[in-house]
Amino acid sequence: MSSPAPQKLAHAIRFLALDAIEHAGDGHPGAPLGCAEITTALFTRHLKFHAADPMWFDRDRFVLSNGHGSMLIYALLHLTGYEHISLDQIRTFRRLGSHCAGHPEYDPASGIEVTTGPLGQGIANAAGMAVAEAFLRNWLGEDMVNHRTYALVGDGCLQEGVGQEIIALAGHLRLGHLTFLWDDNRMTDDGGITIAQSEDMCARFRIAGWHVQDVDGHDVAAVDAALSLAALDPRPSMIACRTMIGRGLPRLQGQRGAHGGRVFAEDLIAARESLDWPYPAFTIPDDVLSVWRAAGRRGLPAYEAWHARLAALSPERRRLLDRLREGRLPEGWEKPLRNWRRDIAPAKAQGGINSSADIVEILATTIPELVSGAPDLEGPTQHKRHLTSFSATDQGGRYVHYGVREHAMGSMVNGMAAHGGVVPLGVTYLAFSDYERPALRMAALMGLPSLFVFSHDSIGIGRNGPTHQPVEIVASLRAMPNMLVFRPADAVEAAECWEAALSNRSGPSTLVFSRQVLPPVREDGTGENRAARGAYVLAEASSRRRATILATGSEVALALAARQMLEAEGIPTAVVSMPCWELFERQEPAYRDQVIDRTTVRVAVEAAVRQGWERWIGEDGGFVGMSSFGASGPEADLFAHFGITPERVAGEVRRRL
Amino acid sequence: MSSPAPQKLAHAIRFLALDAIEHAGDGHPGAPLGCAEITTALFTRHLKFHAADPMWFDRDRFVLSNGHGSMLIYALLHLTGYEHISLDQIRTFRRLGSHCAGHPEYDPASGIEVTTGPLGQGIANAAGMAVAEAFLRNWLGEDMVNHRTYALVGDGCLQEGVGQEIIALAGHLRLGHLTFLWDDNRMTDDGGITIAQSEDMCARFRIAGWHVQDVDGHDVAAVDAALSLAALDPRPSMIACRTMIGRGLPRLQGQRGAHGGRVFAEDLIAARESLDWPYPAFTIPDDVLSVWRAAGRRGLPAYEAWHARLAALSPERRRLLDRLREGRLPEGWEKPLRNWRRDIAPAKAQGGINSSADIVEILATTIPELVSGAPDLEGPTQHKRHLTSFSATDQGGRYVHYGVREHAMGSMVNGMAAHGGVVPLGVTYLAFSDYERPALRMAALMGLPSLFVFSHDSIGIGRNGPTHQPVEIVASLRAMPNMLVFRPADAVEAAECWEAALSNRSGPSTLVFSRQVLPPVREDGTGENRAARGAYVLAEASSRRRATILATGSEVALALAARQMLEAEGIPTAVVSMPCWELFERQEPAYRDQVIDRTTVRVAVEAAVRQGWERWIGEDGGFVGMSSFGASGPEADLFAHFGITPERVAGEVRRRL
């Protein structure tokens, strides 16, 4: 019996997708149909994977950046034999609880490397994966790490700013193991691509230093050959695959409506006829399925050889490899950090961001897989220190100069975290976190342990003015589910928050630091990690507490000053430091009640908007903070101008007694 | 007496900037020094303006996109004679209350067209201004509108994704009156440009369809000639001006440290010596100043000719022109909207976004300067209808197909609003508002009446899953100062919210709509605009109120269902609809107390996170909503799965009684 033609393999994708979409009642047929041949070439001839072990560390990564075409990846995973993506799962496409969600949701154990949906994120994640791979390959050797990252890319991903940032940066960094397969279907949701684009996209990649090819995306052999060539080139590769959107669906193919148009039973009949596919719904003929399943086992020799090499490693290297692929931090990583907290931090009066820089310098030594970086703010944030640059010529470097590309940074940090084996962090000013926010959201949604560090966290930055002064941003970060937001008050808390952030492995942590000097508020850096409880009584009232002042970050010192005034007047007042609301929320109610003490007058102070504080101070609590954007002027003038002063805090307490 | 050499004019900029920065104690000398000749050429030979009337409608617009170089624009404005930018103001550079803030803050009456600081925003604003100009020129004729937009651009602006989006889109739209002057100093904060960029930026502009030139940025005559050529070309123009950062400051010029390095008294002595500038601090020699002041009057003939043409207009056209330049909406614009609210809306059960589309179709007729657009979502958002596209070949169109470029859209909407004469709105899905958020922030900070419309506002979108389901986003928008956030409950409220949004001229309005059908909750669309009070009692309790259910948008209908259950059990319950928290916050306390009634049990329901609701329900109030991201599944399944149901709301009330 002869093997089925590649076209027939591609049709298996098409009909699984169409049957699932018709069965679900909606979905996006355009991409699965248009990219069936491209991914047939990739999955049957190039992608290094072993379907029986989706988590194999040295597998190639595949990212469906045009995530709306989700049935494409589910079809591929089912056909190649991923256990979780059974035919039953495909039948439940877009139903609650299915592995086959409307857009692919991060689930590496099922073969889904990353959540995609918002356009451009996927290719940026892929670039981050390629950085992680290159770094690990340089560090651990090609024996253990030597794989490629492929991303299927739609027009939208390339129009998005983050996509453009990635084109520039991946070319600049010469990420040679990165390949984009561009679904060049010349059709967008609004109509033909020329409605919003006239540039030559291949030329755009070329000037950024990419290897560029141009093939018929419905010719499996052509895509195959291009993939071979891509693998030989030291530059990142872009393969423009000329396709027809929705190919095989007579009523919609090549049309705007193919993107997300409804597919009816009649369409399936017409498609089956036109493509000579006489099989019933959800039925793949044995000869076709067996070729696909063989493709899913194609990586077995490489897989076994890799495991043999792993088994032959020295015990020390073996422990390292196992630790990295399991995502565990080195044994005792906290120790130097705790020593710093105990010995150095209590006397450190310095900018919050400088404490973070000192801490990351220590962590970079204890955690060799830590990869830092910033978008052209190395000087003011100092999270490089003795790290070398990751560059086109040294991919063993551990600091990425992202250029002024915050969004790329955030999404690449996520890609590194999703790849595994590295502990990625990205640093910028808090005012620019909005540029990065779509990446923060994806990290939270995927539950990735990405680390986002922000400096210059309030009007405390002074004279650069309101564009650079966050006011609403801490609140907007706290609104994000599944993300820890830390705002430490001094160097001791900075160390505690960093330890808590690194211990948080099921979601991102965001650490927010001042630019201005934070005087120490904790004299003792020993003992329990108090910040890890989210909030704690920093200074108890001298006798039965009548007032509680709640504060975070730079305003904790101010709260202590207010407390001193009140105590001098005979008003027993406690100060509660609240570096992380989310962790406090997780404490036992009894602990929370003791810290907050609702029977007392409560006033919160934070150089930011009030939103959310009522959760802790009640609707009648006092709040001292910002209700507008900031202004340009010296720090002290601004705090006075906006009334964020100990006097004002004390006044709010008095008014309520 | 011969006129001073152009070089000397440029030095006047340099020393004003240096003196101010040294006097202030900090600032960014690199750009004012590096771009002194470029802007001398522009301001003395090309820019059409009249310093005595900064608001002249047909002036050229100048945007300092690299806003950190703020002393450059203050020096230019002072030298050319803008009244507000006196020498005294320059002496107060970076002090609280000065016109000369750390970064330029929107102040068109002083010659500052737009706030710049976050990189890339300025050039995107400039592209929006160019769209507004082109549209108005096509509509009103070249007699009345015919000016250019210039932006001075740094490397950071071009590395940012939004900058890349703008390059692509401005070239595509052939914005021929737009000119970028690129400060090609090959130096970034982290070091030489090659640390993070290797692409040929001129080539990048060329493939996007720009006219590109390459000149010595310290040669006034060369920049002058290039500007002349740029004005003749029908494409947008980019002039790469090769410069040395911090030129004239011997210790720092050409160095990384010139960007924002501290300038000392000794530096000024060295600079004065090296540039042969023997004048004391803040002193411009008369011959130099008089040339500059003449440049500030250079536009007078054009200015007078324009006013003569204005005076000669027919009364009807004159009224139109005056209305547009004063930013007033047409007399009686509300009427057709109110008619729709009265006659059509009460019976309209349709998706929230469809109501918005119906409304904008009406508004587009009554407000001929309304310019709509979306990033490749025309189909699902429907805010085009009978509008024609603004395109390279028809710049009279009123709908911009932005491509998948949300950030560009938001910033261009701001640019149009800052230009004046148009009422710009941009539409996309709420989940993608994060991509646009930096623009939303700038609109709020500038107080621009930008209109941001968002659809697909919750888990109600169903099966496309959590990437497309906003959960945290409404809270994050409400955190923004000076922005109104509307979430209407049905078609009547949609009309009311739109009226309130258009009436808000001192800041942006954000309108958030469901994709799913909203059953009418208001049977009567006549009378007072109830939504304009922010919140109101939609259904009062049948007798003395014991419970209050607060809700917004799609959850208002659900609140009414819960009320019905409770009333049936004999619990007198009111439902409060809260379409706009910010407007409610502005009401008299007595009104607020009456609506909220703190003596009753309060429960809020919103398919979003709880953050901020304690402001209205107190810390013990009930909340029914989301505490995690969503999931992929049919809408009804999701509401049930996440427990956002009338039963649950009623249960929360009962539990508290």
Side-chain angles (χ1 to χ4, degrees), chain A residues 437 472-487 551-553 578-582 606 608-613 616, chain B residues 472 475 609 611:
Chain A
R437 189 171 169 90
E472 77 291 9
I473 298 182
V474 170
S476 77
L477 293 174
R478 288 178 182 143
M480 190 85 73
N482 198 34
M483 185 166 78
L484 301 185
V485 181
F486 296 93
R487 189 170 185 252
T552 76
M578 298 196 75
C580 181
W581 289 15
E582 297 80 15
E606 185 170 57
V609 296
R610 180 187 181 109
Q611 183 178 302
W613 273 104
W616 311 116
Chain B
E472 77 291 7
V609 297
Q611 184 177 303

Side-chain angles (χ1 to χ4, degrees), chain A residues 373-618:
Chain A
D376 201 36
L377 287 175
E378 182 210 329
T381 60
Q382 290 287 319
H383 281 53
K384 185 178 185 187
R385 299 274 170 91
H386 57 260
L387 299 179
T388 55
S389 301
F390 180 97
S391 69
T393 51
D394 176 11
Q395 299 197 335
R398 290 168 60 194
Y399 186 91
V400 183
H401 288 279
Y402 288 97
V404 189
R405 303 182 185 101
E406 296 84 2
H407 198 167
M409 177 176 75
S411 305
M412 285 173 69
V413 161
N414 290 346
M416 290 185 228
H419 179 280
V422 299
V423 171
L425 67 94
V427 192
T428 187
Y429 290 172
L430 185 58
F432 306 150
S433 69
D434 280 350
Y435 280 63
E436 206 181 340
R437 189 171 169 90
L440 270 59
R441 180 171 201 260
M442 294 310 284
L445 184 44
M446 287 190 250
L448 294 176
S450 301
L451 295 163
F452 302 110
V453 178
F454 298 107
S455 178
H456 290 54
D457 71 348
S458 77
I459 55 166
I461 66 123
R463 307 203 274 191
N464 275 322
T467 58
H468 283 50
Q469 292 165 352
V471 160
E472 77 291 9
I473 298 182
V474 170
S476 77
L477 293 174
R478 288 178 182 143
M480 190 85 73
N482 198 34
M483 185 166 78
L484 301 185
V485 181
F486 296 93
R487 189 170 185 252
D490 69 358
V492 170
E493 270 198 11
E496 292 180 334
C497 290
W498 259 110
E499 187 177 333
L502 277 163
S503 307
N504 175 33
R505 307 302 290 163
S506 60
S509 298
T510 292
L511 296 121
V512 168
F513 295 99
S514 73
R515 173 204 203 184
Q516 75 269 25
V517 171
L518 299 177
V521 297
R522 291 268 296 277
E523 286 156 19
D524 183 1
T526 60
E528 188 204 2
N529 184 333
R530 305 184 75 187
R533 304 198 75 163
Y536 62 93
V537 179
L538 171 64
E540 191 44 281
S542 57
S543 54
R544 201 173 156 285
R545 200 202 292 188
R546 292 182 62 206
T548 307
I549 306 173
L550 302 94
T552 76
S554 48
E555 285 67 70
V556 173
L558 194 153
L560 288 172
R563 173 181 178 273
Q564 202 158 28
M565 291 175 190
L566 293 163
E567 288 275 355
E569 295 166 27
I571 304 168
T573 303
V575 168
V576 169
S577 180
M578 298 196 75
C580 181
W581 289 15
E582 297 80 15
L583 287 176
F584 186 56
E585 193 82 69
R586 293 182 197 167
Q587 305 302 309
E588 293 291 312
Y591 176 77
R592 291 210 310 258
D593 288 347
Q594 173 231 315
V595 170
I596 297 283
D597 195 347
R598 295 174 53 163
T599 65
T600 65
V601 157
R602 286 172 289 167
V603 173
V605 53
E606 185 170 57
V609 296
R610 180 187 181 109
Q611 183 178 302
W613 273 104
E614 284 91 355
R615 171 83 184 84
W616 311 116
I617 57 174

Side-chain angles (χ1 to χ4, degrees), chain B residues 408-553:
Chain B
M409 177 177 75
S411 305
M412 286 173 68
V413 161
N414 289 347
M416 290 185 228
H419 180 280
V422 299
V423 172
L425 68 94
V427 192
T428 187
Y429 290 171
L430 185 57
F432 306 150
S433 69
D434 280 349
Y435 280 64
E436 206 182 342
R437 189 170 169 91
L440 269 60
R441 180 172 202 259
M442 295 309 284
L445 184 45
M446 286 189 251
L448 294 176
S450 300
L451 295 163
F452 302 110
V453 178
F454 298 107
S455 179
H456 291 53
D457 71 348
S458 77
I459 55 167
I461 66 124
R463 305 204 275 193
N464 274 322
T467 58
H468 283 49
Q469 292 165 352
V471 161
E472 77 291 7
I473 299 182
V474 170
S476 77
L477 294 173
R478 287 177 182 147
M480 191 84 73
N482 199 34
M483 184 166 80
L484 301 185
V485 182
F486 296 93
R487 189 169 185 253
D490 69 358
V492 170
E493 270 198 12
E496 292 180 333
C497 290
W498 259 110
E499 187 176 333
L502 277 163
S503 307
N504 175 33
R505 306 302 291 163
S506 60
S509 297
T510 292
L511 296 119
V512 169
F513 294 99
S514 74
R515 173 203 202 184
Q516 75 270 25
V517 170
L518 299 178
V521 297
R522 291 267 298 274
E523 286 157 19
D524 183 0
T526 60
E528 188 206 4
N529 183 335
R530 304 184 76 187
R533 303 198 76 164
Y536 61 95
V537 180
L538 172 64
E540 192 44 279
S542 56
S543 55
R544 200 176 157 283
R545 199 203 293 187
R546 291 181 63 205
T548 307
I549 306 174
L550 302 94
T552 76

Side-chain angles (χ1 to χ4, degrees), chain A residues 24 103 119 159-161 165 172 190 198 378 404 406 435 441 463-464 469 472 598 602 619-620, chain B residues 24 103 119 159-161 165 172 190 198 378 404 406 435 441 463-464 469 472 598 602 619-620:
Chain A
H103 286 77
L119 295 177
Q159 291 180 345
E160 289 286 6
E165 292 180 355
H172 173 73
D190 276 6
S198 13
E378 182 210 329
V404 189
E406 296 84 2
Y435 280 63
R441 180 171 201 260
R463 307 203 274 191
N464 275 322
Q469 292 165 352
E472 77 291 9
R598 295 174 53 163
R602 286 172 289 167
E619 59 191 316
D620 296 321
Chain B
H103 286 76
L119 295 176
Q159 291 181 346
E160 289 285 6
E165 292 179 357
H172 173 74
D190 276 7
S198 14
E378 183 209 329
V404 189
E406 295 85 2
Y435 280 64
R441 180 172 202 259
R463 305 204 275 193
N464 274 322
Q469 292 165 352
E472 77 291 7
R598 295 175 52 164
R602 286 172 288 167
E619 58 191 318
D620 296 320

Side-chain angles (χ1 to χ4, degrees), chain B residues 562-599:
Chain B
R563 173 182 178 273
Q564 203 157 27
M565 291 176 189
L566 292 162
E567 288 275 355
E569 296 166 26
I571 303 168
T573 303
V575 167
V576 170
S577 180
M578 298 197 75
C580 182
W581 289 15
E582 296 80 15
L583 288 176
F584 186 56
E585 193 83 67
R586 294 181 197 168
Q587 304 302 308
E588 292 291 314
Y591 176 76
R592 291 211 309 259
D593 288 347
Q594 173 231 315
V595 171
I596 296 284
D597 196 346
R598 295 175 52 164
T599 66

Side-chain angles (χ1 to χ4, degrees), chain B residues 4-91:
Chain B
Q7 196 67 55
K8 209 165 172 189
L9 300 181
H11 289 345
I13 297 172
R14 288 200 165 88
F15 284 95
L16 271 182
L18 281 175
D19 289 337
I21 290 167
E22 192 272 337
H23 188 67
D26 63 359
H28 292 81
L33 272 62
C35 302
E37 282 81 13
I38 300 171
T39 48
T40 297
L42 179 63
F43 274 68
T44 65
R45 306 188 189 180
H46 291 272
L47 195 74
K48 182 173 79 170
F49 69 109
H50 185 49
D53 184 2
M55 303 291 286
W56 175 25
F57 192 59
D58 200 32
R59 71 190 181 278
D60 286 348
R61 281 11 179 217
F62 171 71
V63 174
L64 185 82
S65 194
N66 47 350
H68 49 265
S70 55
M71 259 318 301
L72 177 60
I73 192 169
Y74 306 140
L76 289 160
L77 295 173
H78 171 68
L79 290 168
T80 52
Y82 282 79
E83 189 190 344
H84 293 179
I85 313 295
S86 64
L87 218 45
D88 279 349
Q89 284 292 312
I90 287 185
R91 280 203 184 88

